[in-house]
Short mmCIF file of all heavy atoms in Angstrom, two decimals:
data_model
loop_
_atom_site.label_atom_id
_atom_site.label_comp_id
_atom_site.label_asym_id
_atom_site.label_seq_id
_atom_site.Cartn_x
_atom_site.Cartn_y
_atom_site.Cartn_z
N TYR W 130 -2.33 1.58 -11.45
CA TYR W 130 -1.92 1.94 -10.07
C TYR W 130 -2.42 3.35 -9.67
O TYR W 130 -2.83 3.59 -8.57
CB TYR W 130 -0.43 1.82 -10.03
CG TYR W 130 0.23 2.08 -8.66
CD1 TYR W 130 0.19 1.16 -7.69
CD2 TYR W 130 0.94 3.29 -8.51
CE1 TYR W 130 0.81 1.35 -6.47
CE2 TYR W 130 1.52 3.50 -7.28
CZ TYR W 130 1.48 2.55 -6.23
OH TYR W 130 2.10 2.84 -5.01
N CYS W 131 -2.14 4.30 -10.62
CA CYS W 131 -2.61 5.68 -10.31
C CYS W 131 -4.16 5.74 -10.13
O CYS W 131 -4.59 6.44 -9.24
CB CYS W 131 -2.16 6.61 -11.46
SG CYS W 131 -0.35 6.83 -11.53
N VAL W 132 -4.84 5.09 -11.00
CA VAL W 132 -6.34 5.07 -10.88
C VAL W 132 -6.70 4.45 -9.50
O VAL W 132 -7.57 5.08 -8.85
CB VAL W 132 -6.98 4.36 -12.04
CG1 VAL W 132 -8.49 4.04 -11.78
CG2 VAL W 132 -6.84 5.06 -13.35
N ALA W 133 -6.00 3.43 -9.12
CA ALA W 133 -6.33 2.78 -7.78
C ALA W 133 -6.07 3.80 -6.68
O ALA W 133 -6.85 3.87 -5.66
CB ALA W 133 -5.52 1.56 -7.63
N GLY W 134 -4.93 4.55 -6.76
CA GLY W 134 -4.73 5.61 -5.72
C GLY W 134 -5.68 6.63 -5.71
O GLY W 134 -6.10 7.16 -4.65
N ILE W 135 -6.22 7.00 -6.82
CA ILE W 135 -7.24 8.09 -6.92
C ILE W 135 -8.54 7.54 -6.29
O ILE W 135 -9.20 8.21 -5.52
CB ILE W 135 -7.48 8.54 -8.36
CG1 ILE W 135 -6.25 9.31 -8.84
CG2 ILE W 135 -8.68 9.37 -8.52
CD1 ILE W 135 -6.14 9.57 -10.35
N THR W 136 -8.90 6.28 -6.63
CA THR W 136 -10.10 5.81 -6.06
C THR W 136 -9.94 5.55 -4.51
O THR W 136 -10.97 5.73 -3.72
CB THR W 136 -10.52 4.34 -6.61
OG1 THR W 136 -9.54 3.41 -6.34
CG2 THR W 136 -10.72 4.45 -8.19
N ASP W 137 -8.75 5.35 -4.06
CA ASP W 137 -8.52 5.28 -2.61
C ASP W 137 -8.82 6.64 -1.96
O ASP W 137 -9.48 6.69 -0.88
CB ASP W 137 -7.15 4.88 -2.27
CG ASP W 137 -6.83 4.63 -0.88
OD1 ASP W 137 -7.84 4.31 -0.09
OD2 ASP W 137 -5.76 4.84 -0.41
N TYR W 138 -8.50 7.71 -2.61
CA TYR W 138 -8.78 9.02 -2.12
C TYR W 138 -10.32 9.31 -2.12
O TYR W 138 -10.94 9.68 -1.10
CB TYR W 138 -8.04 10.09 -2.90
CG TYR W 138 -8.44 11.43 -2.52
CD1 TYR W 138 -7.98 12.03 -1.36
CD2 TYR W 138 -9.30 12.28 -3.33
CE1 TYR W 138 -8.37 13.32 -1.00
CE2 TYR W 138 -9.66 13.53 -2.92
CZ TYR W 138 -9.25 14.06 -1.83
OH TYR W 138 -9.58 15.36 -1.42
N PHE W 139 -10.92 8.98 -3.22
CA PHE W 139 -12.32 9.36 -3.42
C PHE W 139 -13.32 8.52 -2.73
O PHE W 139 -14.41 8.95 -2.34
CB PHE W 139 -12.71 9.40 -4.93
CG PHE W 139 -12.21 10.73 -5.60
CD1 PHE W 139 -11.19 10.64 -6.55
CD2 PHE W 139 -12.82 11.86 -5.30
CE1 PHE W 139 -10.80 11.85 -7.16
CE2 PHE W 139 -12.42 13.04 -5.87
CZ PHE W 139 -11.42 13.01 -6.83
N ASP W 140 -13.01 7.21 -2.54
CA ASP W 140 -13.95 6.45 -1.81
C ASP W 140 -14.27 6.80 -0.41
O ASP W 140 -15.37 7.01 0.00
CB ASP W 140 -13.65 4.89 -1.80
CG ASP W 140 -12.31 4.50 -1.11
OD1 ASP W 140 -11.69 5.46 -0.47
OD2 ASP W 140 -11.95 3.34 -1.22
N GLY W 141 -13.27 7.24 0.34
CA GLY W 141 -13.36 7.75 1.68
C GLY W 141 -14.08 9.14 1.64
O GLY W 141 -14.95 9.45 2.48
N MET W 142 -13.64 9.97 0.73
CA MET W 142 -14.11 11.28 0.67
C MET W 142 -15.67 11.21 0.35
O MET W 142 -16.47 11.91 0.97
CB MET W 142 -13.42 12.18 -0.33
CG MET W 142 -13.85 13.57 -0.39
SD MET W 142 -13.25 14.51 -1.77
CE MET W 142 -14.18 13.84 -3.11
N LEU W 143 -16.04 10.44 -0.67
CA LEU W 143 -17.42 10.30 -1.02
C LEU W 143 -18.27 9.76 0.08
O LEU W 143 -19.40 10.21 0.34
CB LEU W 143 -17.58 9.52 -2.32
CG LEU W 143 -17.15 10.07 -3.60
CD1 LEU W 143 -17.09 9.08 -4.75
CD2 LEU W 143 -18.01 11.30 -3.93
N ALA W 144 -17.75 8.74 0.77
CA ALA W 144 -18.50 8.15 1.84
C ALA W 144 -18.82 9.12 2.99
O ALA W 144 -19.94 9.19 3.42
CB ALA W 144 -17.72 6.95 2.40
N ARG W 145 -17.73 9.90 3.29
CA ARG W 145 -17.98 10.87 4.36
C ARG W 145 -18.86 12.02 3.97
O ARG W 145 -19.72 12.49 4.72
CB ARG W 145 -16.59 11.50 4.87
CG ARG W 145 -15.80 10.44 5.71
CD ARG W 145 -14.51 11.05 6.22
NE ARG W 145 -13.49 11.48 5.25
CZ ARG W 145 -12.68 10.63 4.60
NH1 ARG W 145 -12.64 9.29 4.89
NH2 ARG W 145 -11.91 10.98 3.64
N ALA W 146 -18.64 12.54 2.69
CA ALA W 146 -19.43 13.61 2.22
C ALA W 146 -20.89 13.29 2.10
O ALA W 146 -21.80 14.13 2.28
CB ALA W 146 -18.89 14.12 0.86
N SER W 147 -21.21 12.02 1.68
CA SER W 147 -22.62 11.66 1.51
C SER W 147 -23.22 11.04 2.79
O SER W 147 -24.36 10.72 2.79
CB SER W 147 -22.68 10.64 0.39
OG SER W 147 -22.03 9.35 0.73
N GLY W 148 -22.43 10.92 3.84
CA GLY W 148 -22.92 10.28 5.10
C GLY W 148 -23.18 8.88 4.89
O GLY W 148 -24.00 8.25 5.64
N ARG W 149 -22.47 8.24 3.94
CA ARG W 149 -22.63 6.75 3.74
C ARG W 149 -21.48 5.93 4.09
O ARG W 149 -21.11 4.98 3.37
CB ARG W 149 -23.03 6.61 2.17
CG ARG W 149 -24.31 7.34 1.88
CD ARG W 149 -24.63 7.12 0.44
NE ARG W 149 -25.42 5.88 0.40
CZ ARG W 149 -25.91 5.38 -0.73
NH1 ARG W 149 -25.63 5.96 -1.90
NH2 ARG W 149 -26.68 4.29 -0.71
N VAL W 150 -20.85 6.29 5.11
CA VAL W 150 -19.74 5.49 5.66
C VAL W 150 -20.40 4.18 6.23
O VAL W 150 -21.26 4.18 7.02
CB VAL W 150 -18.98 6.22 6.82
CG1 VAL W 150 -17.95 5.29 7.42
CG2 VAL W 150 -18.33 7.50 6.29
N SER W 151 -19.87 3.08 5.64
CA SER W 151 -20.45 1.78 6.03
C SER W 151 -19.43 0.94 6.71
O SER W 151 -18.20 1.14 6.58
CB SER W 151 -20.92 1.07 4.75
OG SER W 151 -19.81 0.69 3.93
N ARG W 152 -19.90 -0.08 7.39
CA ARG W 152 -19.03 -1.03 8.10
C ARG W 152 -18.19 -1.76 6.99
O ARG W 152 -17.05 -2.05 7.26
CB ARG W 152 -19.83 -1.97 8.97
CG ARG W 152 -20.31 -1.34 10.21
CD ARG W 152 -20.96 -2.28 11.06
NE ARG W 152 -21.61 -1.66 12.30
CZ ARG W 152 -22.26 -2.17 13.20
NH1 ARG W 152 -22.52 -3.40 13.13
NH2 ARG W 152 -22.70 -1.51 14.21
N LEU W 153 -18.86 -2.12 5.94
CA LEU W 153 -18.13 -2.83 4.83
C LEU W 153 -17.02 -1.99 4.34
O LEU W 153 -15.97 -2.44 4.14
CB LEU W 153 -19.16 -3.18 3.71
CG LEU W 153 -18.53 -3.94 2.54
CD1 LEU W 153 -18.05 -5.31 2.93
CD2 LEU W 153 -19.52 -4.03 1.38
N GLY W 154 -17.31 -0.68 4.14
CA GLY W 154 -16.18 0.22 3.64
C GLY W 154 -15.01 0.34 4.62
O GLY W 154 -13.88 0.34 4.22
N ILE W 155 -15.43 0.42 5.92
CA ILE W 155 -14.48 0.59 6.92
C ILE W 155 -13.55 -0.67 6.98
O ILE W 155 -12.37 -0.63 7.21
CB ILE W 155 -15.15 0.86 8.27
CG1 ILE W 155 -15.69 2.22 8.30
CG2 ILE W 155 -14.05 0.69 9.48
CD1 ILE W 155 -16.63 2.56 9.50
N PHE W 156 -14.21 -1.84 6.78
CA PHE W 156 -13.52 -3.09 6.77
C PHE W 156 -12.65 -3.26 5.47
O PHE W 156 -11.45 -3.64 5.60
CB PHE W 156 -14.53 -4.21 6.84
CG PHE W 156 -13.98 -5.64 6.68
CD1 PHE W 156 -13.12 -6.26 7.54
CD2 PHE W 156 -14.26 -6.23 5.48
CE1 PHE W 156 -12.65 -7.50 7.33
CE2 PHE W 156 -13.80 -7.56 5.17
CZ PHE W 156 -12.88 -8.17 6.17
N LEU W 157 -13.23 -2.95 4.31
CA LEU W 157 -12.52 -3.16 3.06
C LEU W 157 -11.42 -2.28 2.63
O LEU W 157 -10.42 -2.65 2.03
CB LEU W 157 -13.58 -3.30 1.90
CG LEU W 157 -14.42 -4.57 1.82
CD1 LEU W 157 -15.40 -4.39 0.66
CD2 LEU W 157 -13.58 -5.82 1.69
N ASP W 158 -11.57 -1.04 3.01
CA ASP W 158 -10.64 -0.07 2.57
C ASP W 158 -9.18 -0.33 2.93
O ASP W 158 -8.29 -0.34 2.05
CB ASP W 158 -11.03 1.35 3.05
CG ASP W 158 -10.17 2.50 2.42
OD1 ASP W 158 -10.17 2.63 1.17
OD2 ASP W 158 -9.37 3.13 3.17
N PRO W 159 -8.93 -0.61 4.22
CA PRO W 159 -7.49 -0.90 4.53
C PRO W 159 -7.00 -2.22 3.94
O PRO W 159 -5.80 -2.38 3.60
CB PRO W 159 -7.41 -0.89 6.00
CG PRO W 159 -8.89 -1.07 6.51
CD PRO W 159 -9.64 -0.49 5.41
#
Side-chain angles (χ1 to χ4, degrees):
Y130 180 80
C131 290
V132 167
I135 291 167
T136 64
D137 184 26
Y138 172 77
F139 280 113
D140 63 6
M142 185 189 75
L143 288 171
R145 287 185 296 278
S147 67
R149 300 182 87 182
V150 175
S151 68
R152 289 184 183 178
L153 179 64
I155 291 168
F156 170 72
L157 285 180
D158 186 64

